Amino acid sequence: MTVIQKKIPTTRRQGRRAAALFFLIFLLAGCGGVSVRDFTLSSLAQKKEHHEIIGILQPDVDRGAEVSTFQLFLLAGAYYEIRDYDKMAAAVDLMEKKIRGGDDHYLTLDIGVYPHTLRGLAALDQGEYDRAVKAAAAAYAYLNRPAGKGNPSYDTQLIEIAGIQGVAHANLGQIQESQRAVDRLYAVNTTGQIYGPEKFIAIARIYMAQKQYDKALAAVQNPEARVEGFVTVFYDQTFQELPKFFILTKSLYETGKLKEAKEGYEQLLKHPQIKQIGGMYWPVLLDRARIARQEGDAAAAEGFLREAVDVIEKQRASINTEAGRIGYVGDKQAVYQELISLLIDQGRPAEAFEYVERSKGRALVDLLASQKGFAVHTAEAAGVRKTLADIAQAEKQLGVVNDAGSGPKGSTTRGISVDLKKDLAAKAPELAALVTVTGAPVREIQERLLPDETLVEYYACERDWFAFVLSRGDIRVLKLGTFDIETAVKEFRAALTDPASPDHLRYAGDLYQKLFKPISGLLKTERLIIVPHGALHYLPFGALSSGREYLVERAKLRVLPTASVLKYLKTRSNKKDFRMLIMANPNLGDPRYDLKYAQAEALAIAKLMPQTNVLLRDDAKPSVLIETAGQYRMIHLAAHGIFDPDNPLGSALLLSRSGGDDGLLKAGSLYQLSLDADLVTLSACETALGKITKGDDVVGFTRGFLYAGSSAIVSTLWKVDDRATMDLMVAFYKKLLTMPKDEALQAAQLEAKKRYPHPFYWASFQLTGNAK
């Protein structure tokens, strides 16, 4: 790749490289009948002076002055370019109102399609691909209406629409639909036209999203794409050109042209605006680090990776706002994996462990970023909510930073955001763990381990599995091997569903050999805390077998979503407080769903526990739980549960309907509760399951109840047998009167094993949280 060390003149070539969104405007600006005001605004759009457009038009909008549809289009486009999507949406709404009133053309430009395309572009940027597909479909239908076929801007608008469709479908895994968009683009004849670059960049973006980098490279290097201009990116300081140059450089890297890719990445890293575009900056740092590792420069690689982690963790609000512009959605966890593997290779397990914890915190932040209405468990609730609002505003400004570069405004905003997060961590550490990335130093976790406890945290870098083993005074990390755990866990769980078959023993032994035998010499205690990773969140650890015994016979087990959760688990001072709420066998309106043993289970447990409030059938309503749950130290829910892997916060316990209440206790609503519970037992189906995100922190019922204030949760990994569950639960509560929770669950499972030998009946139950 030849780097041209001169500035491209501001001529018609710059117009050829302009964003498709404004392409036709630039042509119209030279036509007769254009007002001086519109000419000025169009010129500002061509020069990408978005804040100037906003400064001219927004005051008119605010005071209710007349603003044309065309001017609102420029205003909405300016907000899109600076990534202020809320204000873009407000301008688009005004556009649509005027379009419905008949103001849908500006000279020969058909403006009516742009509300749809702008919404589609914004949805792409924010990773809302279903919404992008719907917006693009609406745009395509509008464009191809009978009155639209003669539109002189048809081809340029089609290029933009097909680009949205192709990228969105690719990121939804709908490759055939994505390829149809590519075919539609290739069918656009750009011979003799000046929008060839827009066509081939759109094609390249789609191939980037499909991860077909050889085809993306071919598209971006097509002569009609004018790629020679992109390699002068350092001298063309625009948000539009950086994505194009990234496509070229990323494609070079992925197709093995490392020397050229290294040159391209070096130029990108020197660009004064690159740090503002977090969604592009961290992939550049990651690939540059990988090149450095291949060159044997571990120190440089570590520097790039630490910077990438810093970018990812600081820019929660703006990190995902470049997918539509570059067609690339990278796995942020790859940054953590690369750094963790590097630190392990260098014999630095404590540092590697801390980044493992930070990676899991990142996943939780990503999934919960859109959640509203968190309960604030502190006396300073009002102050905490203000701090949350200030953090949201400061992080939003990271995406609306001045176009001129990473100057004072951006630096100040980032500093404010960091200070606010520190303030939040001091006021409400549990909430801070949800909305910011936090990790605990190894020593803090070790200090919270009891002398008779060992913590085992699993972590995978792609298919390479590691186990960190922590005691109060030591930390070790072992590489377990390279294998497909996901398939092994699926096969094991499938075998467990047939209680008449011994096939599970083969899988139980194989997984034991992979996961436990290599570290068995380091496990000196009877109490084990397991922190799973990936598919291991679905694994019943107690059912693993050495061939002589199940793991549950050897150890008292409990599970944590992350080791850092130890910081927030509450220890109860009054162990004799047994105020208990039991909700069981709710009326679902169909006798097939009745759980007669769940009702018997509830009544039997109530006889064991004083101060118990039992709610059965129609009385077992979500509203009662939400309103009164904070009064109880123990909560027991015996009901059906449904797990939604695509929307984990929509997973629900099925309770009784009443009035306008649909009877669903959703996982997402748990973050609004304030509990003071020592134990929540979910004697239902699949309640331990949650979404396994890329970063792995499981967000479902267990994490929700932990955040709501419960010290521990007993939950299930699969659809449990009604009768066997009753026997196990009654035994568990009997033991709980005199034993810690982990010991009580172990004893109950071993007792159930005598009556029901197959692990299908007893291995589904696991304890998450505190043991005592």
Side-chain angles (χ1 to χ4, degrees):
M1 179 175 65
T2 303
V3 180
I4 302 174
Q5 299 293 335
K6 67 176 182 179
K7 183 175 181 178
I8 296 298
T10 306
T11 63
R12 193 177 178 192
R13 178 181 295 176
Q14 183 173 355
R16 288 198 297 265
R17 298 199 326 265
L21 183 64
F22 293 113
F23 165 68
L24 199 63
I25 301 171
F26 305 155
L27 299 182
L28 291 170
C31 297
V34 178
S35 70
V36 172
R37 180 180 173 89
D38 287 348
F39 183 88
T40 300
L41 290 166
S42 298
S43 177
L44 291 172
Q46 182 180 9
K47 291 184 289 186
K48 307 172 183 69
E49 294 178 354
H50 310 303
H51 289 281
E52 286 76 3
I53 294 173
I54 293 167
I56 293 171
L57 292 176
Q58 190 61 52
D60 289 349
V61 172
D62 292 340
R63 66 171 177 267
E66 178 61 26
V67 180
S68 70
T69 306
F70 175 67
Q71 291 168 355
L72 287 170
F73 166 50
L74 294 178
L75 179 63
Y79 278 128
Y80 168 73
E81 293 300 332
I82 67 169
R83 293 172 284 174
D84 192 334
Y85 302 113
D86 291 340
K87 291 183 179 176
M88 184 213 80
V92 167
D93 289 343
L94 291 175
M95 278 179 66
E96 283 192 318
K97 184 176 180 180
K98 295 187 78 68
I99 289 168
R100 287 194 297 269
D103 185 9
D104 59 357
H105 277 72
Y106 183 75
L107 300 178
T108 61
L109 176 63
D110 188 342
I111 304 176
V113 74
Y114 287 117
H116 304 301
T117 56
L118 282 163
R119 288 197 177 105
L121 289 167
L124 272 190
D125 282 7
Q126 297 171 88
E128 298 180 6
Y129 303 117
D130 285 320
R131 190 161 63 91
V133 166
K134 290 178 182 177
Y140 187 75
Y142 181 91
L143 187 65
N144 286 281
R145 74 197 193 285
K149 290 292 182 72
N151 172 14
S153 56
Y154 181 91
D155 283 347
T156 58
Q157 291 174 339
L158 177 62
I159 287 170
E160 186 164 57
I161 293 166
I164 296 168
Q165 290 174 322
V167 172
H169 281 302
N171 282 294
L172 289 169
Q174 300 164 353
I175 302 304
Q176 287 186 337
E177 292 89 338
S178 178
Q179 191 58 43
R180 278 198 285 271
V182 172
D183 296 340
R184 193 171 289 159
L185 284 163
Y186 271 119
V188 176
N189 183 6
T190 55
T191 304
Q193 303 296 328
I194 63 173
Y195 44 82
E198 280 67 44
K199 166 182 169 177
F200 285 97
I201 290 301
I203 292 169
R205 286 167 56 229
I206 295 171
Y207 281 133
M208 177 79 72
Q210 294 180 7
K211 300 193 182 304
Q212 296 195 59
Y213 297 106
D214 55 340
K215 293 182 178 180
L217 182 60
V220 83
Q221 289 184 325
N222 187 290
E224 290 188 54
R226 304 286 190 248
V227 295
E228 73 274 7
F230 304 154
V231 297
T232 65
V233 65
F234 180 75
Y235 299 99
D236 190 1
Q237 299 174 18
T238 67
F239 281 104
Q240 285 73 25
E241 298 309 315
L242 278 173
K244 296 176 184 178
F245 188 70
F246 175 82
I247 292 171
L248 174 62
T249 307
K250 178 67 175 175
S251 298
L252 288 167
Y253 173 78
E254 294 291 347
T255 53
K257 298 176 177 63
L258 298 187
K259 181 177 182 296
E260 295 91 336
K262 181 178 178 181
E263 292 178 18
Y265 284 136
E266 287 294 334
Q267 282 203 67
L268 282 165
L269 290 172
K270 291 175 184 175
H271 195 285
Q273 289 181 341
I274 188 66
K275 291 186 178 181
Q276 294 181 51
I277 310 178
M280 190 187 306
Y281 187 31
W282 71 259
V284 170
L285 289 165
L286 172 59
D287 284 351
R288 184 64 187 86
R290 286 169 167 167
I291 292 171
R293 285 192 80 178
Q294 291 182 52
E295 294 174 340
D297 191 348
E302 183 178 340
F304 290 127
L305 291 168
R306 287 185 184 273
E307 175 70 9
V309 168
D310 190 52
V311 170
I312 289 168
E313 292 182 357
K314 282 182 178 177
Q315 297 188 36
R316 173 176 63 90
S318 62
I319 194 67
N320 294 318
T321 57
E322 292 302 319
R325 298 164 192 246
I326 60 180
Y328 175 75
V329 179
D331 178 5
K332 293 183 288 294
Q333 291 301 316
V335 175
Y336 291 94
Q337 291 176 2
E338 195 77 28
L339 181 53
I340 289 162
S341 69
L342 187 152
L343 293 170
I344 290 173
D345 287 348
Q346 294 185 338
R348 297 155 66 184
E351 291 174 79
F353 180 83
E354 290 177 17
Y355 275 101
V356 167
E357 285 292 298
R358 288 167 68 171
S359 75
K360 295 182 177 183
R362 176 73 222 180
L364 185 65
V365 165
D366 286 345
L367 196 56
L368 292 179
S370 62
Q371 277 290 97
K372 306 296 182 185
F374 291 123
V376 180
H377 308 144
T378 173
E380 300 182 67
V384 167
R385 292 194 183 282
K386 182 180 185 306
T387 300
L388 281 171
D390 291 343
I391 288 173
Q393 181 61 29
E395 289 191 328
K396 182 177 180 181
Q397 289 302 315
L398 288 174
V400 190
V401 72
N402 196 314
D403 286 346
S406 54
K409 183 176 179 181
S411 300
T412 302
T413 300
R414 183 164 294 134
I416 292 170
S417 179
V418 171
D419 290 343
L420 288 168
K421 289 174 183 178
K422 289 179 179 177
D423 181 52
L424 180 65
K427 291 178 179 176
E430 298 159 24
L431 185 56
L434 289 180
V435 298
T436 63
V437 177
T438 59
V442 170
R443 65 180 181 277
E444 287 190 21
I445 293 172
Q446 289 174 314
E447 287 170 358
R448 286 169 171 78
L449 295 177
L450 299 175
D452 63 345
E453 288 182 324
T454 303
L455 184 145
V456 179
E457 178 150 1
Y458 292 97
Y459 187 75
C461 294
E462 299 296 339
R463 289 165 57 96
D464 294 335
W465 280 87
F466 300 89
F468 292 86
V469 182
L470 277 71
S471 61
R472 286 181 67 90
D474 192 24
I475 177 171
R476 305 282 186 91
V477 59
L478 283 78
K479 182 174 182 179
L480 302 177
T482 302
F483 33 72
D484 181 5
I485 281 291
E486 184 173 353
T487 298
V489 171
K490 283 182 179 178
E491 292 174 344
F492 184 32
R493 285 173 58 91
L496 284 169
T497 60
D498 183 2
S501 171
D503 289 350
H504 70 281
L505 289 171
R506 174 163 58 90
Y507 298 108
D510 179 61
L511 285 166
Y512 183 92
Q513 293 295 315
K514 285 182 170 70
L515 299 174
F516 265 89
K517 187 171 182 180
I519 62 173
S520 59
L522 301 176
L523 305 179
K524 308 295 186 183
T525 64
E526 288 187 1
R527 280 196 160 90
L528 292 182
I529 303 173
I530 306 294
V531 183
H533 188 224
L536 296 186
H537 283 285
Y538 296 94
L539 178 67
F541 283 90
L544 300 186
S545 174
S546 66
R548 298 184 303 274
E549 60 183 359
Y550 287 108
L551 189 59
V552 71
E553 297 176 271
R554 169 184 170 179
K556 301 172 183 64
L557 301 170
R558 61 174 168 135
V559 175
L560 295 176
T562 69
S564 299
V565 167
L566 282 170
K567 295 191 299 181
Y568 310 117
L569 296 178
K570 299 174 183 176
T571 300
R572 306 299 175 190
S573 56
N574 184 0
K575 296 297 183 181
K576 299 301 182 182
D577 186 347
F578 292 117
R579 286 173 294 145
M580 188 173 189
L581 172 66
I582 299 178
M583 302 180 80
N585 194 22
N587 182 6
L588 302 183
D590 187 333
R592 292 176 300 173
Y593 298 126
D594 289 353
L595 297 168
K596 68 174 184 176
Y597 287 109
Q599 184 159 326
E601 170 187 318
L603 296 173
I605 293 169
K607 291 180 181 178
L608 296 171
M609 298 292 178
Q611 300 176 279
T612 298
N613 182 16
V614 180
L615 301 177
L616 305 173
R617 306 300 288 160
D618 290 339
D619 293 329
K621 298 179 290 190
S623 57
V624 175
L625 177 67
I626 291 170
E627 292 166 8
T628 66
Q631 304 172 15
Y632 300 97
R633 285 298 178 92
M634 304 177 77
I635 299 171
H636 183 94
L637 305 174
H640 289 286
I642 55 173
F643 169 53
D644 184 347
D646 296 320
N647 177 26
L649 297 176
S651 298
L653 294 178
L654 306 183
L655 300 178
S656 296
R657 297 185 179 91
S658 63
D661 192 337
D662 61 9
L664 299 179
L665 178 66
K666 294 186 177 180
S669 66
L670 301 178
Y671 294 90
Q672 301 172 29
L673 295 181
S674 291
L675 303 181
D676 188 30
D678 189 46
L679 175 66
V680 172
T681 299
L682 305 175
S683 181
C685 299
E686 300 180 329
T687 51
L689 301 187
K691 174 75 170 180
I692 302 298
T693 66
K694 288 289 187 181
D696 174 71
D697 201 349
V698 175
V699 180
F701 287 105
T702 52
R703 185 70 191 237
F705 275 112
L706 283 175
Y707 176 75
S710 178
S711 294
I713 299 95
V714 170
S715 52
T716 53
L717 285 166
W718 56 75
K719 293 178 171 62
V720 292
D721 179 82
D722 191 19
R723 174 58 189 268
T725 298
M726 180 191 76
D727 293 340
L728 191 148
M729 283 287 102
V730 173
F732 170 64
Y733 282 101
K734 284 182 180 178
K735 310 292 183 185
L736 197 60
L737 293 170
T738 58
M739 295 179 179
K741 292 187 281 286
D742 59 346
E743 190 173 342
L745 182 59
Q746 179 196 39
Q749 287 177 305
L750 292 178
E751 190 172 300
K753 179 177 172 292
K754 293 177 182 177
R755 185 170 183 179
Y756 308 98
H758 197 284
F760 165 77
Y761 295 101
W762 48 264
S764 176
F765 294 90
Q766 67 178 29
L767 172 69
T768 302
N770 263 351
K772 297 185 177 180

